[in-house]
């Protein structure tokens, strides 16, 4: 017998599947019983089947390497899924909807009345120094008043099992294609489990995304022209761009495929002639989107795109400038933002956060940096951060200097004792830390995926889950509680 839950160590941690030695959580009983009955050869066969499916389905991700350039790698996947009770998920879902609703109100306010600044809730100088606040977006009201139509918020649990929001991704959040493909792989490998469990589906995401984008169309027509705008095949998320376009039945285009005419309308070049585009799901960063409005040297974008958007001739998702709320210093204000716009208490707490532009917080961080995780305001993918407990003295001193030089650019958080889940290492289940990125769609309604992308740190003891830095992934099952 390969997996013995009695010897699986969970002491001092919150484990997603096992509550005590040999005792699965109620929602995971069926899964754990099934896994307990597998032999080594069964596990090897299932692992091989998953790897074969990933290869056949072409699921890959790209890593940028300073010396070797970009490298395509097979998607690292663990066949033991994460399980979450549906009753608990309902609370998480409510908290995420509340959060995104407040963040959209915040972005809309910043680009228009700026009442939150006038009322002294959000500091004006933080906005002035924001790298992602775009003056070109002032006095614009996008369709439905929504700026961030697609949001990916990262969730973690502490050692007690409490769920926190770690960060919000509102610029061009990625990863949803891997969530969908993880489910496809699991259905191939464990079809019998999907007959025994009531696992809530994620497969409807592409149709939900299509419906959300359709609602933004400036033309009241039955089938608006929707395109996915990609920087091209060398982008690390190109697999996802192509996948989503294919799943939605939308065209995958690059900047050179589009043009804006004198009528401020966006057209797509086709063999039948120009075709009007109504909605662009753009996966290009703001500053490369339109060389007329931003970086004049950009070859990725479409000249005049901002002009067309501001004229209301095309919808962009996410709207330009929505990244102002992606700033990790803004993240520290989200609880106040929820209270200000919704007059409600946050349904999901932030991880306790020190704002380094505040002197008292900065002094504490400088004195205790070895115990803290320090993050720059606008980096992603786990880059540019310091994990104090794992850092050298030289690295800590370097971050002290960075902090003193530009305190606005940093936050710090205590290092949480992140939850774990059983992960197949060789032919044994070992605990590995993980997080979860659900995706929230905002149109006329707000919808949250049933689960999300679970990322797992495959290296023992590591808390860095990013695939570019050695992380892997699991399927996430939201299931009805078992009797």
């Amino acid at each position: 017998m390969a997996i013995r839950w009695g010897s699986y160590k969970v002491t001092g941690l919150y484990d997603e599947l096992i509550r005590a030695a040999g005792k699965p959580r109620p929602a995971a009983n069926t899964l754990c019983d099934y896994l307990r009955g597998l032999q080594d050869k069964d596990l090897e066969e299932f692992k091989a089947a998953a790897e074969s499916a990933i290869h056949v389905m072409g699921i890959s991700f790209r890593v940028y390497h300073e010396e070797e350039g970009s490298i395509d790698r097979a998607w690292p996947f663990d066949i033991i899924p994460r399980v979450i009770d549906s009753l608990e998920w309902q609370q998480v879902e409510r908290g995420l909807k509340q959060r995104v609703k407040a963040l959209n109100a915040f972005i809309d306010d910043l680009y228009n009345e700026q009442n939150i600044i006038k009322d002294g809730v959000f500091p004006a100088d933080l906005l002035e120094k924001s790298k992602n606040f775009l003056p070109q977006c002032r006095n614009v009201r996008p369709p439905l008043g929504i700026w961030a139509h697609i949001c990916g918020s990262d969730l973690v649990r502490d050692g007690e099992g409490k769920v926190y929001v770690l960060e919000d991704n509102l610029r061009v959040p990625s990863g949803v294609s891997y969530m969908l493909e993880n489910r496809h792989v699991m259905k191939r490998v464990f079809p019998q489990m999907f007959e025994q469990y009531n696992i809530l589906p994620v497969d409807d995401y592409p149709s939900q995304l299509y419906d959300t984008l359709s609602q933004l169309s400036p033309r009241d027509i039955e089938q608006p022209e929707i395109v996915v705008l990609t920087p091209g095949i060398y982008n690390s998320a190109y697999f996802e761009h192509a996948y989503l376009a294919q799943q939605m039945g939308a065209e995958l285009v690059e900047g050179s495929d589009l043009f804006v005419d004198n009528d401020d309308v966006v057209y797509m070049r086709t063999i039948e002639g120009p075709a009007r585009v109504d909605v662009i799901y753009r996966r290009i960063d703001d500053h490369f989107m339109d060389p007329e409005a931003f970086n004049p040297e950009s070859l990725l974008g479409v000249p005049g795109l901002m002009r067309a958007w501001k004229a209301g001739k095309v919808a962009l998702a996410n709207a330009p400038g929505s990244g102002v709320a992606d700033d990790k210093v803004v993240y520290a204000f989200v609880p106040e933002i929820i209270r200000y716009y919704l007059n409600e208490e946050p349904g999901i707490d932030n991880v306790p956060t020190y704002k380094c532009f505040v002197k008292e917080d900065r002094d504490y961080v400088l004195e205790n940096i070895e115990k803290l995780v320090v993050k720059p305001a606008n980096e992603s993918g786990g880059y540019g951060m310091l994990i104090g407990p794992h850092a050298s003295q030289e690295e800590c001193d370097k971050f002290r200097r960075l902090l003193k030089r530009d305190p606005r650019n940093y936050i710090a958080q205590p290092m949480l004792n992140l939850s774990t889940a059983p992960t197949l290492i060789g032919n044994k289940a070992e605990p590995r830390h993980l997080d979860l990125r659900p995706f929230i769609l905002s149109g006329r309604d707000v919808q949250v995926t049933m689960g999300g992308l679970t990322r797992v740190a495959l290296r023992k003891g590591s808390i860095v889950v990013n695939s570019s830095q050695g992380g892997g992934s699991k399927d996430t099952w939201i299931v009805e509680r078992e009797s």
Side-chain angles (χ1 to χ4, degrees):
M1 186 178 297
I3 296 179
R4 297 181 177 86
W5 296 120
S7 58
Y8 179 80
K9 303 295 183 187
V10 296
T11 307
L13 292 167
Y14 182 96
D15 192 86
E16 301 287 338
L17 261 59
I18 305 298
R19 55 183 165 154
K23 295 183 179 176
R25 296 190 181 281
N29 263 328
T30 300
L31 173 67
C32 291
D33 282 349
Y34 176 76
L35 293 173
R36 186 187 290 119
L38 298 178
Q39 303 298 318
D40 281 351
K41 65 179 179 59
D42 300 321
L43 291 171
E44 288 169 5
E45 286 176 3
F46 289 142
K47 280 174 67 176
E51 289 168 1
S52 174
I54 288 168
H55 178 72
V56 169
M57 295 160 74
I59 310 171
S60 64
F61 73 104
R62 180 159 292 170
V63 177
Y64 296 119
H65 194 284
E66 290 182 1
E67 297 175 357
E68 302 172 34
S70 60
I71 305 168
D72 281 328
R73 290 182 177 166
W75 181 239
F77 180 73
D78 180 58
I79 61 172
I80 302 179
R82 172 193 204 152
V83 177
I84 301 175
D85 188 306
S86 62
L87 292 179
E88 181 188 19
W89 187 250
Q90 289 172 16
Q91 297 177 15
V92 173
E93 186 180 14
R94 283 194 292 272
L96 291 172
K97 287 180 176 178
Q98 175 198 55
R99 191 173 183 95
V100 168
K101 189 176 175 184
L103 284 168
N104 268 306
F106 172 70
I107 301 168
D108 197 56
D109 189 22
L110 288 186
Y111 285 115
N112 288 281
E113 292 83 6
Q114 298 193 340
N115 288 323
I116 194 168
I117 293 175
K118 293 171 186 169
D119 290 337
V121 177
F122 187 79
D125 62 336
L126 282 187
L127 186 63
E128 289 168 6
K129 296 175 182 174
S130 169
K131 294 178 181 175
N132 292 310
F133 178 77
L134 304 180
Q136 296 91 335
C137 298
R138 285 300 306 265
N139 303 313
V140 174
R141 294 278 189 195
L144 307 175
I146 296 169
W147 294 73
H149 311 91
I150 302 103
C151 174
S153 292
D154 292 344
L155 305 178
V156 293
R157 286 188 202 265
D158 68 4
E160 305 301 318
K162 180 176 177 178
V163 174
Y164 292 92
V165 177
L166 185 64
E167 64 183 49
D168 303 293
N169 299 280
L170 298 106
R171 282 179 284 185
V172 282
S174 62
V176 73
S177 61
Y178 298 111
M179 175 192 79
L180 297 168
E181 291 291 58
N182 285 352
R183 178 60 53 87
H184 291 158
V185 171
M186 289 300 283
K187 283 184 174 178
R188 289 187 179 200
V189 176
F190 292 124
Q192 65 277 36
M193 292 304 295
F194 287 86
E195 296 172 2
Q196 297 176 30
Y197 254 143
N198 185 14
I199 303 166
L200 300 183
V202 295
D203 316 70
D204 51 356
Y205 178 83
S207 62
Q208 291 175 345
L209 175 62
Y210 182 87
D211 290 343
T212 299
L213 296 174
S214 297
Q215 293 166 16
L216 309 177
S217 172
R219 292 193 295 171
D220 186 16
I221 55 178
E222 190 172 341
Q223 286 191 314
E225 186 70 59
I226 297 172
V227 301
V228 177
L229 176 60
T230 175
I233 59 171
Y234 297 110
N235 185 270
S236 62
Y238 182 76
F239 169 82
E240 176 153 303
H241 306 164
Y243 180 87
L244 290 176
Q246 190 268 334
Q247 292 291 309
M248 287 195 293
E251 295 288 343
L252 178 69
V253 299
E254 298 186 22
S256 58
D257 297 319
L258 304 178
F259 69 94
V260 179
D261 215 335
N262 293 332
D263 56 0
D264 289 342
V265 170
V266 180
Y267 294 95
M268 175 171 52
R269 294 183 172 90
T270 74
I271 55 174
E272 287 89 14
R276 178 170 178 171
V277 173
D278 299 294
V279 183
I280 300 176
Y281 180 25
R282 54 102 181 181
R283 301 297 298 259
I284 294 179
D285 285 342
D286 288 342
H287 294 94
F288 296 95
M289 195 172 54
D290 178 358
E292 269 187 21
F294 304 113
N295 184 350
E297 297 181 355
S298 172
L299 301 177
L300 302 177
V302 184
L305 194 55
M306 282 292 288
R307 185 160 35 87
W309 176 65
K310 293 170 85 168
K313 301 290 183 68
V314 71
L316 299 176
N318 285 343
S322 54
V324 67
D326 206 323
D327 186 316
K328 291 184 177 59
V329 181
V330 170
Y331 156 88
F333 282 87
V334 171
E336 287 95 330
I337 288 170
I338 291 172
R339 294 184 190 104
Y340 181 78
Y341 291 107
L342 305 182
N343 194 28
E344 298 172 0
E345 284 301 306
I348 311 175
D349 286 337
N350 276 9
V351 175
T353 302
Y354 298 97
K355 303 165 184 159
C356 294
F357 71 92
V358 177
K359 183 178 184 310
E360 293 77 12
D361 284 14
R362 182 168 66 250
D363 289 346
Y364 178 85
V365 173
L366 289 171
E367 291 172 10
N368 297 277
I369 202 164
E370 291 87 354
K371 305 174 189 171
L372 301 169
V373 177
V374 183
K375 300 177 178 177
N378 293 296
E379 294 285 351
S380 60
Y383 293 102
M385 59 190 282
L386 175 84
I387 301 175
H390 298 169
S392 66
Q393 188 62 48
E394 184 181 2
E395 290 169 326
C396 290
D397 289 342
K398 174 187 170 186
F399 267 77
R400 286 192 178 93
R401 291 193 295 275
L402 291 170
L403 262 171
K404 290 176 183 174
R405 191 182 307 155
D406 187 8
R408 158 64 177 88
N409 194 44
Y410 292 92
I411 61 166
Q413 297 168 327
M415 189 164 141
L416 297 182
N417 194 11
L418 294 185
S419 67
T420 59
T423 301
L424 204 57
I425 307 295
N427 60 1
K428 289 178 58 183
E430 296 185 8
R432 291 292 185 270
H433 297 295
L434 70 177
D435 76 354
L436 176 64
R437 177 175 292 181
F439 296 87
I440 308 107
L441 295 174
S442 298
R444 292 194 185 96
D445 301 311
V446 180
Q447 301 176 82
V448 181
T449 50
M450 284 297 162
L453 176 65
T454 287
R455 301 180 300 176
V456 55
L458 294 177
R459 285 196 289 265
K460 188 175 183 179
S462 173
I463 61 168
V464 180
V465 298
N466 306 82
S467 53
S468 57
Q469 301 194 41
S473 176
K474 291 171 169 287
D475 195 13
T476 309
W477 291 359
I478 307 298
V479 302
E480 302 289 347
R481 179 170 294 191
E482 298 172 53
S483 57

